[in-house]
Amino acid sequence: MDDLEGRIAENRPVCAQYYRCRVRLEKPMGNVVPGQFIMIKVPSSAVFLRRPFSIYECGKQTITILYRVTGKGTQALARAGRGERVMILGPLGHGFRVQPGYTPVLVAGGIGIAGLRMLWKQLKGRAHMLYGCATSEEACLLEGVAGGISRVATLDGTTGFAGTVIELLSRHLESIGGRPHIYACGPEAMYASLRSFLAGSGIPCQVLVEERMACGLGLCFGCVKKTVDEVEPYKRACVEGPVFDLWQLSL
Ligand SMILES: Cc1cc2nc3c(=O)[nH]c(=O)nc-3n(C[C@H](O)[C@H](O)[C@H](O)COP(=O)(O)OP(=O)(O)OC[C@H]3O[C@@H](n4cnc5c(N)ncnc54)[C@H](O)[C@@H]3O)c2cc1C
Ligand code: FES
């Protein structure tokens, strides 16, 4: 893990509220596992704490994130132009552990697609991607995961299946074939429905949790998640996660 200086090479809107930002780093970042994240110091004196983002793409000396503008940190980042300086700490946390012998099924909700994109690329067309979002406008985020088997669900029914991504999963899981292993990234409500749907099925499932974080280094305990571990139930999302076994979490 390094703390690297970078310069914004590109920072452009992908669709309303969503931006993709590519940063050129002063030197290459260490080996990145899909699901790991970075903490970015955004170029604004009004935003003190770094913000965590999944690594969407990692080049030789570049790093790309896909982000949704939600508050003052992401608003400041969206205003940053080419050439502006950012500090990047990473790669951080434990990423996805790909299990051989299974059919990978990636389930993304909204901006959760950012946390699964590297895994999708690594699996090179072997995986199925199910993506759920609110409207057809957000479905454009799927453009980064072209070249495989993907299906989309929108809540308003304007594109693809009308309903949630978990309803979409329930319709297609049987036809996927093989032994499925689910890798998911999305809001907590999506994990709760995933859990109800998968209960008793024995299907393994890893999820990436997007807990609020302050240090990203395991020092502040601001990101703890309760698990079923009887000895040490509280785990830090930034160190023991952000990827957890769904069945280990107390949702
Ligand atoms: C491991 C990890 C990976 C992440 N990857 C991405 C990513 O690839 N793309 C992306 O857009 N976002 C990602 N996030 C969420 C992102 O960090 C937050 O959206 C961001 O920090 C918000 O900063 P802000 O200053 O704009 O918002 P703030 O002003 O801090 O908050 C604005 C609103 O966003 C909510 N919020 C803040 N942090 C989070 C969070 N972690 N999860 C859910 N809601 C939050 C707040 O409750 C508040 O309602 C990730 C978070 C984690 C922990
Ligand atoms: S963010 Fe500080 S311990 Fe995880």
Side-chain angles (χ1 to χ4, degrees), residues 37 51-54 66-68 70-75 111 114 208-213 242:
F37 68 100
R51 300 294 197 260
F53 297 95
S54 293
L66 178 71
Y67 64 98
R68 186 159 70 93
T70 52
K72 68 176 181 178
T74 43
Q75 278 160 10
I111 189 60
L208 191 161
V209 302
E210 295 193 343
E211 220 32 57
R212 296 207 72 170
M213 290 182 180

Side-chain angles (χ1 to χ4, degrees), residues 9-85:
E10 188 184 39
N11 187 27
R12 66 172 186 88
V14 178
C15 55
Q17 300 293 101
Y18 292 91
Y19 283 67
R20 189 164 46 223
C21 177
R22 182 163 51 86
V23 175
R24 177 155 296 281
L25 302 169
E26 58 176 327
K27 64 181 178 105
M29 185 171 273
N31 192 36
V32 174
V33 173
Q36 284 190 297
F37 68 100
I38 51 176
M39 295 289 289
I40 300 189
K41 170 74 185 87
V42 303
S44 162
S45 54
V47 183
F48 177 65
L49 292 174
R50 295 188 187 211
R51 300 294 197 260
F53 297 95
S54 293
I55 301 170
Y56 181 78
E57 190 169 83
C58 184
K60 219 174 180 183
Q61 214 164 314
T62 59
I63 200 101
T64 305
I65 61 164
L66 178 71
Y67 64 98
R68 186 159 70 93
V69 177
T70 52
K72 68 176 181 178
T74 43
Q75 278 160 10
L77 187 57
R79 284 192 299 269
R82 195 182 155 92
E84 279 200 69
R85 180 177 174 270

Side-chain angles (χ1 to χ4, degrees), residues 213-223 236 238:
M213 290 182 180
C215 71
L217 293 168
L219 305 173
C220 70
F221 284 75
C223 65
R236 293 158 302 176
C238 66

Side-chain angles (χ1 to χ4, degrees), residues 29-230:
M29 185 171 273
N31 192 36
V32 174
V33 173
Q36 284 190 297
F37 68 100
I38 51 176
M39 295 289 289
I40 300 189
K41 170 74 185 87
V42 303
S44 162
S45 54
V47 183
F48 177 65
L49 292 174
R50 295 188 187 211
R51 300 294 197 260
F53 297 95
S54 293
I55 301 170
Y56 181 78
E57 190 169 83
C58 184
K60 219 174 180 183
Q61 214 164 314
T62 59
I63 200 101
T64 305
I65 61 164
L66 178 71
Y67 64 98
R68 186 159 70 93
V69 177
T70 52
K72 68 176 181 178
T74 43
Q75 278 160 10
L77 187 57
R79 284 192 299 269
R82 195 182 155 92
E84 279 200 69
R85 180 177 174 270
V86 285
M87 290 305 293
I88 293 191
L89 189 64
L92 297 166
H94 276 90
F96 292 103
R97 292 159 284 264
V98 175
Q99 300 299 319
Y102 287 88
T103 305
V105 181
L106 278 50
V107 178
I111 189 60
I113 193 100
L116 290 173
R117 198 313 184 124
M118 271 195 81
L119 182 63
W120 172 256
K121 289 279 167 190
Q122 181 181 299
L123 293 168
K124 292 194 179 82
R126 285 197 293 124
H128 295 252
M129 168 71 80
L130 302 181
Y131 176 56
C133 52
T135 68
S136 57
E137 199 174 25
E138 280 180 49
C140 73
L141 300 184
L142 261 184
E143 80 185 28
V145 296
I149 313 151
S150 54
R151 294 179 198 277
V152 63
T154 50
L155 291 179
D156 66 1
T158 43
T159 297
F161 172 79
T164 70
V165 69
I166 305 305
E167 287 162 352
L168 180 68
L169 176 70
S170 69
R171 292 196 168 211
H172 290 285
L173 196 55
E174 269 190 22
S175 65
I176 283 172
R179 288 194 300 159
H181 187 121
I182 295 176
Y183 304 86
C185 187
E188 197 132 321
M190 184 183 105
Y191 296 156
S193 7
L194 192 54
R195 203 179 165 107
S196 315
F197 170 63
L198 293 177
S201 69
I203 295 176
C205 177
Q206 295 173 44
V207 298
L208 191 161
V209 302
E210 295 193 343
E211 220 32 57
R212 296 207 72 170
M213 290 182 180
C215 71
L217 293 168
L219 305 173
C220 70
F221 284 75
C223 65
V224 288
K225 289 295 294 177
K226 192 166 183 210
T227 69
V228 295
D229 187 331
E230 284 175 8

